[in-house]
Amino acid sequence: IFVSKNESFSITNSRFINCHMTNWGDCFFIFLQNSNAEIKNSTFDFCKYQNNLIGLSESDSNYYVHFYSNRISHCSHFNNQTSMVFNSYYHQNDIQNNTVKYDKINYPNRVFNFIYYGKCKFISNSILNANYEEASAVMLHIQEQYNEFIMSDCIFTNCRGNVGASVFIKDCTMNLTFKNLTFQDTTNNYIQNNGQNRGYIFRIDRINLGTEVLHTTVDLINCSFKNLITNGQNCGGYGMTAKKKYGDNANLYSYELTIKNTIFENIYFTHDKYGGGAISLSHEINENRHTQLSLCDCTFSNISCKNGGGGAIYFNTPSQKLTIERTKFKNIGADNVDFGGCIYVKYESDP
């Protein structure tokens, strides 16, 4: 299907099953260009393509896509090569109530790739068994000047990759609030060629376009992190990091991480040096050293780390504040630790 320069295009209550596109040139299953689009209540099963299952391209920022209540199952590149399922250059993407699934062993596919995300709504979507070199479930590239991005009520299950296995948000300047997100059943012990542990599951890269300190907030509300194993430095076993852009001065960034009514369950942090079975903030690593952490009405259960202090939390940001209120810790430990079996707050003079 190719649509160009239409005021409106719609697919509703349709089924596409075992449809194969096998051209080595530009080959999309559905390609939309400079056209408003609505795709809803439709099914895509075992479809094959070259570029993308759904590709969207526009010459300005006036067009939108509504992708509602669709089911995508086992769709991939026709020759089992790396591909992206939904690849959008549109500036207005409204993605809600979709389900995407693969078998546990599958060929590399990134599910959603958004070049522009300042106006993106990503709500109530479920992705199972995605696999890509980074951001197998969702990749968001350019914020622009807009601050309307929403991500909530989503489930990411066994979405695998390296330096941002499930979700990667790049070059972000806005404050972020995430509600009712679930990350579960995922392992990421990726080590870069330089030996650094970068096994993140949910990665947010900040960018400071000025010369003053950029202070930003990340709020996690009613979220769940379950059955996770990671090694990502400066995140801990739950796999989320919000950090400065590579090469920037860390002193130009400050963060406030607030976590409320969130569950951390069955998590193991495998970093060889730093602790924090669930959450780890490390001044030594110089990426998000100026971070304030606040926890309220959370639950940590069956949490441990391989090394370092803090079976559940490792907090080493001396210039910032740690607040913990009405939070439960159960079955917390560390494989090799002499201090802070549950929580370790490091002083400047500590080894």
Side-chain angles (χ1 to χ4, degrees):
I1 298 174
F2 174 68
V3 180
S4 179
K5 299 180 180 179
N6 261 10
E7 288 188 6
S8 181
F9 169 76
S10 176
I11 296 175
T12 305
N13 298 319
S14 300
R15 299 184 69 190
F16 302 88
I17 302 174
N18 287 316
C19 299
H20 292 190
M21 310 288 289
T22 57
N23 185 355
W24 277 105
D26 284 339
C27 182
F28 302 82
F29 191 81
I30 298 174
F31 183 69
L32 305 173
Q33 184 178 54
N34 294 334
S35 303
N36 294 325
E38 184 173 271
I39 302 173
K40 64 181 183 180
N41 299 318
S42 295
T43 298
F44 302 83
D45 283 346
F46 296 94
C47 296
K48 301 290 185 178
Y49 50 85
Q50 155 71 6
N51 295 68
N52 313 120
L53 180 74
I54 300 171
L56 302 102
S57 174
E58 65 176 357
S59 57
D60 57 47
S61 60
N62 295 324
Y63 299 98
Y64 66 81
V65 58
H66 294 165
F67 195 70
Y68 297 159
S69 302
N70 300 290
R71 186 173 72 90
I72 300 174
S73 178
H74 307 96
C75 295
S76 61
H77 187 282
F78 75 87
N79 201 35
N80 299 325
Q81 296 187 11
T82 300
S83 66
M84 298 180 190
V85 178
F86 187 104
N87 186 33
S88 177
Y89 281 79
Y90 278 23
H91 293 249
Q92 301 179 64
N93 300 277
D94 192 351
I95 316 298
Q96 300 192 39
N97 299 302
N98 302 287
T99 300
V100 183
K101 67 177 183 178
Y102 293 90
D103 293 328
K104 285 189 176 181
I105 300 175
N106 62 74
Y107 300 103
N109 290 281
R110 174 180 292 155
V111 181
F112 290 99
N113 189 64
F114 302 106
I115 304 303
Y116 306 104
Y117 67 87
K119 292 185 175 183
C120 179
K121 296 179 181 178
F122 195 84
I123 301 170
S124 298
N125 301 294
S126 177
I127 301 175
L128 172 65
N129 295 330
N131 178 26
Y132 201 77
E133 59 183 358
E134 64 179 10
S136 61
V138 185
M139 182 73 166
L140 303 113
H141 293 265
I142 302 170
Q143 177 186 327
E144 298 183 290
Q145 72 270 28
Y146 307 109
N147 299 313
E148 302 170 29
F149 169 62
I150 299 173
M151 178 180 282
S152 69
D153 302 280
C154 295
I155 301 174
F156 304 98
T157 304
N158 190 33
C159 294
R160 294 160 289 155
N162 49 42
V163 295
S166 300
V167 178
F168 189 176
I169 302 173
K170 298 182 69 174
D171 293 350
C172 183
T173 62
M174 74 177 84
N175 296 326
L176 297 168
T177 297
F178 302 101
K179 297 181 179 180
N180 302 309
L181 298 185
T182 296
F183 293 86
Q184 61 188 9
D185 304 331
T186 304
T187 297
N188 189 6
N189 287 318
Y190 176 70
I191 300 176
Q192 286 185 322
N193 293 333
N194 60 7
Q196 292 185 338
N197 294 273
R198 297 291 186 180
Y200 307 124
I201 291 175
F202 184 10
R203 176 177 173 180
I204 304 167
D205 278 10
R206 298 296 195 180
I207 183 170
N208 189 345
L209 301 176
T211 58
E212 302 294 326
V213 174
L214 174 67
H215 178 78
T216 53
T217 64
V218 176
D219 294 342
L220 299 175
I221 302 172
N222 298 323
C223 295
S224 294
F225 298 87
K226 298 181 178 180
N227 307 319
L228 306 176
I229 301 173
T230 76
N231 71 350
Q233 61 189 35
N234 241 345
C235 68
Y238 84 138
M240 196 202 85
T241 183
K243 62 187 190 65
K244 71 180 183 69
K245 186 178 179 66
Y246 180 78
D248 280 5
N249 183 350
N251 293 321
L252 290 178
Y253 294 81
S254 72
Y255 308 89
E256 186 174 340
L257 175 59
T258 300
I259 305 176
K260 298 180 179 180
N261 296 301
T262 291
I263 296 172
F264 302 84
E265 183 177 292
N266 299 326
I267 297 176
Y268 183 47
F269 187 43
T270 62
H271 198 288
D272 289 330
K273 182 177 180 181
Y274 299 107
I279 300 172
S280 181
L281 296 170
S282 307
H283 178 275
E284 304 98 323
I285 298 173
N286 197 31
E287 291 178 338
N288 53 1
R289 59 169 59 183
H290 303 295
T291 301
Q292 175 178 311
L293 174 62
S294 177
L295 297 164
C296 183
D297 297 312
C298 296
T299 300
F300 293 76
S301 61
N302 299 321
I303 312 294
S304 63
C305 61
K306 181 178 180 180
N307 253 313
I313 299 170
Y314 176 87
F315 187 77
N316 178 24
T317 59
S319 62
Q320 301 297 323
K321 182 170 67 173
L322 170 64
T323 303
I324 302 176
E325 299 179 289
R326 299 187 303 274
T327 292
K328 298 178 182 179
F329 297 86
K330 181 180 179 181
N331 296 331
I332 310 297
D335 294 352
N336 181 22
V337 63
D338 294 326
F339 42 83
C342 182
I343 301 171
Y344 177 45
V345 180
K346 186 173 181 180
Y347 288 96
E348 293 275 13
S349 59
D350 284 347

